[in-house]
């Protein structure tokens, strides 16, 4: 990311460029639904149903507790049938539940709030929104849902009935495997520490209390929306078994959302089994806070697949990333501006820290020149990973600036099919210095001949690599350490089964069906 702001920016339907600022949420581009022609790799995904529609509309909208309730917006028809449309209130102001009802979808219109901001020093939870397994929510244009600081969401699907967040075009059957930017996305905000203080007064080791109320602002909305606090263990709720499709509509010129954006959420927040599909900006982005994610799939993001910054303390276990062929930048962008750049200094506290264990990354974008990029002084750990780069000229790992090189935690049991330039140093760092850090780790081979099948499944080469025990680096990592590198040893369905959806970009073999269709139960 190139332009640096002190605020978290919400935005919409743009094609992502080569990066966004370390503490902004967006990338510049063009408005409207983005169409990018990609080849369809085999195997063929489950097709959109073409037979007789099976869904009939529910008789009406359920009763909820929040002021204004649900509004019956009539019906909406598509390939899977006809649905009753129930529009969400602008704000859930008391504890509420969205039940699963056959033949019913929930509509997100403009900004939908879960609670109101409870403040930097607040404790406890004001409002909790519960969403039942199998629920489908959709938006259009500049619509998004934000869980404000001091409130929580309990959006817990199941392995066979995920919660689907998607677009109106998906419901009516006109979204394709190349569609994106059709609605905003989901935002979780919390009270954990952030580094990029909106007042431009930063905490450092020399002056750790320079800003006793360091918080950031969510930009792009009429109402001021702060996030951040002092509680690393804060909870913004739980999201298990969720799909977020076709997100990223433009709210401001050159500003757009990710599928999932977090700002200052704490380690008490549970995020597991999450699919981001065709996000027009980053797949997911974590601004500050203490973020733990298990079983994450980012498919078809048009900028960075994983973006981490603003003092985030992030641990990711079992991650797959697959790009489209003509859109997408780095698979990981991990950065904050250093002391030589305008904005947050590289020594601002907390220092960003990202640890990824058991991952498989597939780079396909011709617009991308590296799979992993770190810059601005964050601390990076990669362990037990497989990186499949797009071409001989693409780098597996790029490190910018000495401040970043010196902060690396370690690279261990990483294999990549690099060729011409498997590692890259920039901004005062040489390729040889990056390679020395790789060589200092264990069981790394960035000039490998990979044997992956079905895009993500280990072959004999990957399963023959000695495993690094990453459990000492984070208590979040699965104990005992999985006995293989990569995300998928042999069975794609074991971690990425029916809670995902299928596409020409990545076929998971999910019985839930195609990403261009809706699941029918």
């Amino acid at each position: 990311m190139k332009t640096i702001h002190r605020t978290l920016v919400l935005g919409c339907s743009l094609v992502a460029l080569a990066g966004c600022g370390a503490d902004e949420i967006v990338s510049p581009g063009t408005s409207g639904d983005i169409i990018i022609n990609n080849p369809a790799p085999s195997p063929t995904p489950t097709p959109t149903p073409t037979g007789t529609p099976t869904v009939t509309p529910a008789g009406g909208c359920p009763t909820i507790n929040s002021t204004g309730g649900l509004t019956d917006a009539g019906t909406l028809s598509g390939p899977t049938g006809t649905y009753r449309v129930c529009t969400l209130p602008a704000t859930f102001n008391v504890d509420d539940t969205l039940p699963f009802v056959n033949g019913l979808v929930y509509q997100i219109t403009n900004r939908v709030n879960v609670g109101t901001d409870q403040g930097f020093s607040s404790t406890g939870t004001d409002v909790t929104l519960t969403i039942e397994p199998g629920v489908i929510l959709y938006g259009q244009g500049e619509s998004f849902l934000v869980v404000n600081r001091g409130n929580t969401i309990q959006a817990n699907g199941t392995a066979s009935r995920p919660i689907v967040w998607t677009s109106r075009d998906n419901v009516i059957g006109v979204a394709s495997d190349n569609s994106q930017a059709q609605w905003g996305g989901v935002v979780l905000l919390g009270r954990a520490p952030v580094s990029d203080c909106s007042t431009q007064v930063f905490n450092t080791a020399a002056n750790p209390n320079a800003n006793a109320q360091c918080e950031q602002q969510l930009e792009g909305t009429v109402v001021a929306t702060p996030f951040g606090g002092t509680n690393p263990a804060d909870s913004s709720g739980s999201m298990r078994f969720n799909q977020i499709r076709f997100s990223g509509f433009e709210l401001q010129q050159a500003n757009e959302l990710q599928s999932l954006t977090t700002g200052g959420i704490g380690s008490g927040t549970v995020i597991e089994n999450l699919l981001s599909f065709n996000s027009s900006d980053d797949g997911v982005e974590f601004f500050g806070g203490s973020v733990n994610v298990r079983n994450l799939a980012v498919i078809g993001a048009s900028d960075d697949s994983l973006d981490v910054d603003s003092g985030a303390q992030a641990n990711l276990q079992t991650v797959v990333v697959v790009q489209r062929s003509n859109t997408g930048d780095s698979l990981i962008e991990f950065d904050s501006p250093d002391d030589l750049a305008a904005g947050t200094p590289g020594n601002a506290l907390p220092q960003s820290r990202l640890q990824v264990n058991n991952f498989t990354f597939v780079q396909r974008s011709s617009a991308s020149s590296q799979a992993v990029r770190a810059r601005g002084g964050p601390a990076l750990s990669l362990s037990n990973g497989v990186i499949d780069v797009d071409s001989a000229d693409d780098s597996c790992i790029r490190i910018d600036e000495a401040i970043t090189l010196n902060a690396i935690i370690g690279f261990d049991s990483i294999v990549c099919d690099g060729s011409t330039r498997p590692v890259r140093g920039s901004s005062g760092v040489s390729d040889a210095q990056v390679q020395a850090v790789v060589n200092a780790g264990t069981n790394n081979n960035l000039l490998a001949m990979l044997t992956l099948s079905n895009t993500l499944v280990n072959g004999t080469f990957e399963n023959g690599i000695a495993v690094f025990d990453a459990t000492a680096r984070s208590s979040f990592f699965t104990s005992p350490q999985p006995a293989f590198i990569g995300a998928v040893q042999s069975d794609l369905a074991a971690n990425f089964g029916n809670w995902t959806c299928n596409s020409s970009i990545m076929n998971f073999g999910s019985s839930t069906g195609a990403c261009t269709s809706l699941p029918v139960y």
Side-chain angles (χ1 to χ4, degrees):
M1 299 183 178
K2 308 231 184 242
T3 303
I4 309 301
H5 293 303
R6 295 282 60 76
T7 50
L8 176 63
V9 184
L10 284 179
C12 317
S13 64
L14 314 179
V15 167
L17 299 180
C20 294
D23 48 354
E24 74 174 1
I25 193 173
V26 299
S27 296
T30 56
S31 62
D33 189 28
I34 310 302
I35 303 298
I36 297 167
N37 294 320
N38 294 319
S42 60
T44 303
T46 303
T48 301
T50 56
T52 303
T54 60
V55 175
T56 57
C61 297
T63 300
I64 63 171
N65 301 319
S66 291
T67 301
L70 297 169
T71 301
D72 190 333
T75 61
L76 192 62
S77 297
T80 52
T82 301
Y83 298 85
R84 175 70 53 193
V85 177
C86 298
T87 303
L88 303 182
T91 300
F92 289 93
N93 58 359
V94 294
D95 291 351
D96 244 325
T97 297
L98 296 179
F100 172 79
V101 179
N102 275 311
L104 185 149
V105 291
Y106 296 98
Q107 181 181 29
I108 302 168
T109 301
N110 300 316
R111 170 174 172 158
V112 171
N113 295 280
V114 177
T116 57
D117 178 52
Q118 297 302 295
F120 181 89
S121 302
S122 63
T123 59
T125 299
D126 185 37
V127 171
T128 295
L129 173 64
T130 300
I131 303 176
E132 292 186 349
V135 162
I136 298 172
L137 305 98
Y138 80 87
Q140 182 180 19
E142 55 184 32
S143 58
F144 64 99
L145 182 139
V146 56
V147 179
N148 289 295
R149 185 170 57 176
N151 304 276
T152 64
I153 188 170
Q154 296 294 328
N156 297 313
T158 67
S160 59
R161 286 200 176 195
I163 294 167
V164 176
W165 308 75
T166 192
S167 66
R168 183 179 187 275
D169 280 3
N170 196 187
V171 177
I172 65 176
V174 298
S176 75
D177 282 350
N178 301 313
S179 298
Q180 61 178 37
Q182 296 182 335
W183 70 293
V186 180
V187 181
L188 304 182
L189 305 179
R191 297 170 290 198
V194 299
S195 65
D196 293 16
C197 316
S198 58
T199 61
Q200 300 277 299
V201 177
F202 306 106
N203 298 313
T204 64
N207 192 355
N209 298 310
N211 189 339
Q213 189 165 325
C214 178
E215 59 185 6
Q216 293 179 240
Q217 293 285 336
L218 189 66
E219 194 172 280
T221 58
V222 175
V223 179
T225 309
F227 63 91
T230 60
N231 181 12
D234 188 41
S235 174
S236 298
S238 176
M239 293 186 71
R240 292 185 172 99
F241 299 105
N242 284 253
Q243 300 177 13
I244 307 178
R245 309 176 179 179
F246 306 114
S247 62
F249 188 86
E250 184 180 21
L251 295 184
Q252 289 185 342
Q253 184 177 0
N255 293 335
E256 59 189 358
L257 269 173
Q258 285 67 233
S259 288
L260 175 67
T261 303
T262 69
I265 67 170
S267 61
T269 308
V270 176
I271 303 174
E272 296 178 351
N273 301 89
L274 173 68
L275 170 71
S276 165
F277 181 74
N278 280 18
S279 175
S280 73
D281 193 50
D282 303 321
V284 295
E285 185 159 12
F286 308 133
F287 293 87
S290 297
V291 185
N292 294 320
V293 183
R294 195 181 311 279
N295 296 339
L296 172 63
V298 178
I299 309 300
S302 71
D303 191 20
D304 305 307
S305 298
L306 310 171
D307 201 336
V308 181
D309 44 58
S310 303
Q313 312 294 293
N315 299 298
L316 311 182
Q317 169 75 49
T318 312
V319 182
V320 297
V321 171
V322 181
Q323 289 183 318
R324 283 177 279 172
S325 62
N326 294 318
T327 186
D329 192 15
S330 301
L331 284 74
I332 290 179
E333 182 176 272
F334 185 32
D335 64 349
S336 284
D338 68 10
D339 291 302
L340 301 177
T344 305
N347 62 348
L349 298 178
Q351 176 194 37
S352 298
R353 185 180 183 92
L354 170 64
Q355 303 190 116
V356 189
N357 188 44
N358 284 99
F359 63 90
T360 302
F361 292 165
V362 178
Q363 179 197 46
R364 285 182 178 152
S365 172
S366 57
S368 175
S369 59
Q370 66 274 319
V372 176
R373 185 181 187 184
R375 60 185 180 181
L380 176 63
S381 166
L382 299 176
S383 55
N384 301 308
V386 179
I387 303 173
D388 183 0
V389 293
D390 181 57
S391 74
D393 293 328
D394 293 318
S395 297
C396 308
I397 299 172
R398 173 177 171 177
I399 303 297
D400 294 13
E401 307 154 335
I403 190 174
T404 309
L405 187 73
N406 295 334
I408 290 173
I409 300 167
F411 302 146
D412 295 278
S413 296
I414 305 298
V415 298
C416 176
D417 57 349
S419 179
T420 304
R421 196 179 184 185
V423 297
R424 179 180 174 186
S426 182
S427 302
V429 174
S430 69
D431 292 4
Q433 288 175 300
V434 179
Q435 187 63 53
V437 173
V438 173
N439 293 343
T442 57
N443 308 311
N444 295 319
N445 182 354
L446 304 188
L447 296 170
M449 294 290 292
L450 302 182
T451 59
L452 295 172
S453 63
N454 195 17
T455 306
L456 296 171
V457 179
N458 284 358
T460 54
F461 171 74
E462 293 79 23
N463 283 331
I465 300 298
V467 172
F468 176 78
D469 187 355
T471 57
R473 290 188 178 168
S474 172
S475 59
F476 177 73
F477 292 149
T478 302
S479 183
Q481 163 68 43
F484 56 91
I485 71 165
V488 183
Q489 182 180 25
S490 59
D491 182 7
L492 188 58
N495 291 110
F496 301 95
N498 295 330
W499 60 271
T500 57
C501 59
N502 305 318
S503 67
S504 61
I505 308 161
M506 181 63 216
N507 179 19
F508 288 100
S510 172
S511 65
T512 303
C515 301
T516 53
S517 184
L518 300 181
V520 177
Y521 305 115

